[in-house]
Amino acid sequence: ARGEQHRESAAKRTQLMRGLEPVQQLLMLGFIPDEADADVWADFGTLANGKVEIRLSKVQTIVGENALGRGLFACQDFACNDIITVYGGELITDDEARVRRDARGSQSHRYLMRISDSDYLVDGWQYASGVSETPGEHGVFLPTKAHATQFSQGAGPMANHDIGLGANCHISYVPLARSEAFQLFPRVPTLRAIREIKAGEEIKFNYGSALPFCPQPSLSVTAAAEGADASTEDAGEYLELSRYWSDLEWEAVGVDAGV
């Protein structure tokens, strides 16, 4: 009976996530659904359009001898209130987030972004796990696969933490569309500039309660999302693109279904 109950719960969760497919497409693929407001989503920063890039962070971390991790950098100027990028990753339920938080070898706990006023989170580890930990040409970190979704997804999970005047953006939750049909959908987490940002600046925001399972740094030392060295523990198997839509032909839209 317990097994039956679990299967029913899993089936219900699958049905629920299928209904949220337009939001998931934007978060996991960087694909803008037909239903979305094109004027809002057509221009957010990705590695593919060159508006942002991943470099060695300038933020100190509480690991080893103040080791540095990857960080997100602006490749163009952003005006105050501009959407810089989307916090890309896999949309999951609160229950699934707790499972991933406690999973052995998982780094999800450092990247789980809670969506305000909803029971959903975005697992940014789906994005971060597909980005190389070794910089390539010109010191830029790139996705490990040539056709990885990380090129077109929002690169928000690579932005590090800072507090006070060090932060230059904040999390802004934006509806996928303004139509009434999308009012009950979880909003999309974005990084929005709180001041003018110049090309070359590192993108940083105050994690606050948005990343509920990420340890908060002390006020005396600024910590980053890349604070924990993934090489210190077994990273386990890479996440698949989707556990909910195995029947979809992701290759048809020209992306690699893995990370």
Side-chain angles (χ1 to χ4, degrees), residues 47 53-61 67-73 107 110-111 124-136 139-144 150 155-161 202-204 207 223-231 235 238:
L47 303 184
E53 64 183 7
I54 303 167
R55 290 184 169 275
L56 194 64
S57 175
K58 299 175 182 177
V59 178
Q60 289 187 330
T61 65
L68 295 178
R70 298 166 296 182
L72 186 65
F73 289 78
Q107 295 294 316
R110 296 196 290 124
Y111 294 94
W125 176 235
Q126 180 271 333
Y127 183 96
S129 64
V131 176
S132 174
E133 294 184 4
T134 304
V140 176
F141 294 83
L142 293 172
T144 55
Q150 283 80 4
M158 306 312 298
N160 285 321
H161 171 90
E202 182 166 4
I203 305 299
K204 297 175 289 184
Y207 289 175
E226 291 295 312
D229 185 350
S231 66
Y238 280 144

Side-chain angles (χ1 to χ4, degrees), residues 3 6 15 22 41 64 71 74 92 95 119 128 160 164 209 213 215 241 245 256:
H6 178 75
Q15 182 180 15
W41 302 112
I92 60 175
D95 287 344
D119 295 323
N160 285 321
S209 60
F213 305 123
L241 179 63
W245 303 307
D256 191 325

Side-chain angles (χ1 to χ4, degrees), residues 8 129-130 168-169 193 210 227 230 255:
E8 289 173 357
S129 64
N168 52 20
C169 65
V255 298

Side-chain angles (χ1 to χ4, degrees), residues 24-31 89 126 149 151-154 241 250 253 255-256:
Q24 189 76 292
Q25 287 178 339
L26 179 60
L27 291 172
M28 288 193 75
L29 298 175
F31 175 75
Q126 180 271 333
T149 59
F151 281 107
S152 57
Q153 286 177 270
L241 179 63
W250 299 110
V253 292
V255 298
D256 191 325

Side-chain angles (χ1 to χ4, degrees), residues 166-182:
N168 52 20
C169 65
H170 69 105
I171 290 293
S172 174
Y173 301 94
V174 182
L176 184 66
R178 289 182 286 267
S179 63
E180 187 175 346
F182 283 87

Side-chain angles (χ1 to χ4, degrees), residues 1-226:
R2 291 182 63 184
E4 252 178 54
Q5 186 176 5
H6 178 75
R7 283 195 297 272
E8 289 173 357
S9 175
K12 182 177 180 181
R13 184 163 58 248
T14 298
Q15 182 180 15
L16 179 67
M17 298 308 294
R18 281 183 181 274
L20 300 176
E21 183 175 342
V23 178
Q24 189 76 292
Q25 287 178 339
L26 179 60
L27 291 172
M28 288 193 75
L29 298 175
F31 175 75
I32 303 172
D34 293 338
E35 305 93 330
D37 291 334
D39 57 329
V40 174
W41 302 112
D43 218 23
F44 67 86
T46 66
L47 303 184
N49 64 25
K51 294 188 174 185
V52 293
E53 64 183 7
I54 303 167
R55 290 184 169 275
L56 194 64
S57 175
K58 299 175 182 177
V59 178
Q60 289 187 330
T61 65
I62 314 175
V63 174
E65 299 179 358
N66 289 327
L68 295 178
R70 298 166 296 182
L72 186 65
F73 289 78
C75 294
Q76 65 168 47
D77 295 348
F78 290 96
C80 182
N81 211 39
D82 278 354
I83 289 179
I84 302 167
T85 191
V86 168
Y87 193 91
E90 183 179 4
L91 182 70
I92 60 175
T93 62
D94 186 69
D95 287 344
E96 176 67 16
R98 295 183 185 281
V99 171
R100 296 188 184 190
R101 176 196 64 181
D102 299 328
R104 178 178 173 79
S106 171
Q107 295 294 316
S108 288
H109 64 279
R110 296 196 290 124
Y111 294 94
L112 287 165
M113 165 71 69
R114 184 176 299 283
I115 298 178
S116 178
D117 299 328
S118 81
D119 295 323
Y120 298 95
L121 296 90
V122 177
D123 188 353
W125 176 235
Q126 180 271 333
Y127 183 96
S129 64
V131 176
S132 174
E133 294 184 4
T134 304
E137 190 177 3
H138 306 302
V140 176
F141 294 83
L142 293 172
T144 55
K145 296 184 178 181
H147 300 290
T149 59
Q150 283 80 4
F151 281 107
S152 57
Q153 286 177 270
M158 306 312 298
N160 285 321
H161 171 90
D162 210 333
I163 56 177
L165 297 177
N168 52 20
C169 65
H170 69 105
I171 290 293
S172 174
Y173 301 94
V174 182
L176 184 66
R178 289 182 286 267
S179 63
E180 187 175 346
F182 283 87
Q183 293 306 304
L184 297 180
F185 277 59
R187 293 173 293 167
V188 177
T190 68
L191 298 187
R192 190 183 291 269
I194 58 176
R195 61 166 174 79
E196 184 181 6
I197 297 174
K198 294 293 187 181
E201 281 193 63
E202 182 166 4
I203 305 299
K204 297 175 289 184
F205 71 101
N206 188 337
Y207 289 175
S209 60
L211 275 71
F213 305 123
C214 184
Q216 293 298 304
S218 66
L219 294 179
S220 59
V221 182
T222 303
E226 291 295 312

